[in-house]
């Protein structure tokens, strides 16, 4: 219990510090006190620029990180695999592809982007689950099928780069996983859909715990297994889809964060889900802040930083999975 409390306190403290650091550093630098005074009085022009450009970026990064991390926790509960992640198994690329496809065909429906992303993510999740099921779910089979689905949707999405329309260019820019030029309308979308998904995930935590049992044992304790898997998957897809629609394609967050979270706070989803949300927000905000400050004025997309971190971590989990299963 003490370890859980200390872990929660530490991640909250680090998150607060990172928000302050991110808000006060960059091409425009202000002190913490100056930032607070400027936000209250509205009399500081530098703070006004930060409020209009940097604060929406920070809030979007926080919600994207939280959504992707919790999506990973939910997918791993459904598929009983620590290798499940929306970016790795193709849910994010499926969301991105259907968004590009629909906006290319119907440019006037650009503001329905989160819905189209949800449909694409749901399609990818269904394909991965269907092709991975063979007398049960194998972690290695999930990752192999997921990589294939991811490659397919990524290739289909990139094929639209050559159409050249403004709408498609806008969607492509929205799915490249950098956070500049985010506006308060993007924050509004993340607040609506992201908060709904996070709240629903907390309501489903007891079902996630029950899914750790074998299906027969779960049914014996009163869990409607099929309905639970469907609803939890839907919430996971919603979180991953809105994160992709607003923040872009970012892999490995749902792989890295839940694994570390389980080491720190255990496998009880009542604690694991909120902790993962906080840790995911911290991770993406840190990656975005480093990306825009290390080589300023050039920027490194958060997705590239996550690939550098997440790639070796996936290899580590695959090797660990092989040892566990005696392969």
């Amino acid at each position: 219990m003490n370890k859980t409390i200390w872990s929660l306190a530490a991640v909250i403290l680090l998150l607060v510090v990172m928000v302050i650091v991110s808000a006060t550093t960059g091409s425009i630098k202000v002190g913490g006190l100056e930032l607070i005074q400027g936000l209250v009085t509205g009399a500081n022009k530098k703070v006004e620029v930060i409020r209009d450009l940097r604060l929406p970026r920070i809030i979007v990064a926080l919600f994207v990180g939280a959504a992707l991390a919790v999506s990973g926790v939910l997918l791993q509960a459904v598929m009983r695999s620590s290798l499940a992640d929306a970016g790795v198994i193709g849910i994010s690329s499926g969301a991105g592809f259907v968004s590009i496809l629909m906006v290319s065909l119907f440019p006037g429906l650009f503001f329905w982007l989160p819905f189209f992303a949800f449909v694409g993510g749901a399609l990818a999740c269904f394909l991965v689950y269907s092709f991975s099921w063979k007398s049960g779910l194998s972690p290695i089979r999930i990752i192999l099928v997921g990589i294939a689905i991811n490659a397919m949707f990524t290739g289909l999405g990139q094929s639209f780069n050559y159409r050249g329309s403004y709408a498609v260019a806008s969607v492509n820019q929205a799915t490249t996983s950098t956070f500049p030029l985010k506006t308060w309308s993007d924050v509004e979308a993340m607040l609506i859909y992201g908060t709904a998904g996070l709240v629903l995930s907390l309501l489903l935590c007891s079902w996630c715990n029950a899914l750790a049992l074998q299906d027969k044992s779960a049914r014996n304790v009163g869990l409607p297994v099929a309905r639970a898997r469907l609803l939890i998957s839907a919430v996971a897809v919603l979180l991953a889809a809105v994160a992709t629609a607003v923040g872009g394609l970012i892999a490995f967050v749902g792989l890295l964060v839940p694994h570390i979270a389980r080491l720190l706070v255990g496998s009880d989803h009542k604690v694991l889900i909120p902790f993962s949300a906080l840790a995911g927000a911290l991770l993406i905000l840190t990656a975005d802040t480093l990306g825009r400050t290390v080589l300023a004025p050039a920027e490194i997309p958060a997705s590239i930083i996550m690939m550098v971190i997440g790639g070796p971590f996936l290899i580590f989990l695959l090797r660990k999975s092989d040892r566990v299963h005696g392969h």
Side-chain angles (χ1 to χ4, degrees):
M1 181 61 69
N2 287 336
K3 182 180 180 182
T4 298
I5 294 173
W6 279 108
S7 297
L8 283 168
V11 76
I12 292 171
L13 177 61
L14 289 172
L15 189 57
V16 171
V17 170
M18 197 64 232
V19 168
I20 296 172
V21 170
S22 183
T24 56
T25 58
S27 56
I28 299 176
K29 295 181 174 64
V30 295
L33 184 60
E34 182 183 0
L35 175 66
I36 295 172
Q37 290 176 339
L39 290 174
V40 172
T41 63
N44 189 318
K45 291 185 177 180
K46 290 195 298 183
V47 174
E48 287 183 12
V49 174
I50 291 174
R51 181 192 62 202
D52 293 336
L53 298 178
R54 195 176 294 167
L55 288 187
R57 177 174 185 161
I58 290 171
I59 296 172
V60 167
L62 291 172
F63 269 88
V64 166
L68 290 174
V70 173
S71 176
V73 173
L74 298 180
L75 289 171
Q76 289 166 20
V78 169
M79 298 185 177
R80 293 183 187 145
S81 170
S82 61
L83 300 175
D85 167 57
V88 174
I89 66 175
I91 292 175
S92 295
S93 59
F97 165 67
V98 173
S99 299
I100 293 173
L101 175 64
M102 296 306 295
V103 173
S104 175
L105 296 176
F106 309 104
L109 300 180
F110 184 81
F111 291 101
W112 285 84
L113 201 63
F115 173 74
F116 296 143
F118 175 79
V119 173
L123 174 61
C125 184
F126 172 76
L127 291 174
V128 171
Y129 195 85
S130 299
F131 291 129
S132 299
W133 183 270
K134 186 178 181 182
S135 301
L137 289 172
S138 163
I140 302 299
R141 193 182 302 122
I142 288 173
I143 197 68
L144 291 176
V145 171
I147 288 172
I149 298 296
N150 186 36
M152 179 184 72
F153 280 121
T154 299
L156 289 171
Q158 289 180 349
S159 68
F160 278 80
N161 290 338
Y162 302 100
R163 293 180 60 87
S165 73
Y166 172 77
V168 173
S170 299
V171 176
N172 286 336
Q173 183 180 6
T175 57
T176 52
S177 73
T178 56
F179 297 102
L181 302 180
K182 294 301 175 186
T183 65
W184 287 106
S185 62
D186 297 310
V187 172
E188 183 180 358
M190 284 303 307
L191 284 173
I192 294 172
Y193 298 105
T195 301
L198 292 172
V199 171
L200 288 172
S201 68
L202 290 173
L203 296 177
L204 295 170
C205 59
S206 60
W207 280 8
C208 292
N209 286 336
L211 282 178
L213 304 171
Q214 295 297 321
D215 286 0
K216 185 177 180 180
S217 300
R219 290 190 186 95
N220 289 338
V221 297
L223 177 70
V225 175
R227 189 191 313 165
R229 278 207 174 98
L230 180 62
L231 289 177
I232 294 171
S233 297
V235 174
V237 170
L238 171 64
L239 288 168
V242 70
T244 300
V246 177
L249 296 170
I250 306 177
F252 298 117
V253 181
L255 187 75
L256 185 67
V257 173
H259 183 80
I260 296 174
R262 287 188 185 93
L263 296 177
L264 295 175
V265 300
S267 299
D268 184 354
H269 286 79
K270 293 179 182 178
V271 181
L272 181 63
I273 288 176
F275 183 87
S276 295
L278 294 170
L282 174 62
L283 177 63
I284 292 302
L285 181 60
T286 303
D288 182 56
T289 303
L290 289 174
R292 69 178 174 83
T293 57
V294 170
L295 296 178
E299 291 196 12
I300 305 172
S303 62
I304 293 178
I305 295 176
M306 288 309 304
M307 286 178 185
V308 172
I309 299 172
F313 191 78
L314 176 59
I315 294 172
F316 165 75
L317 286 183
L318 284 169
R319 290 179 62 85
K320 181 179 178 181
S321 178
D322 282 346
R323 289 197 298 269
V324 169
H325 291 86
H327 294 153

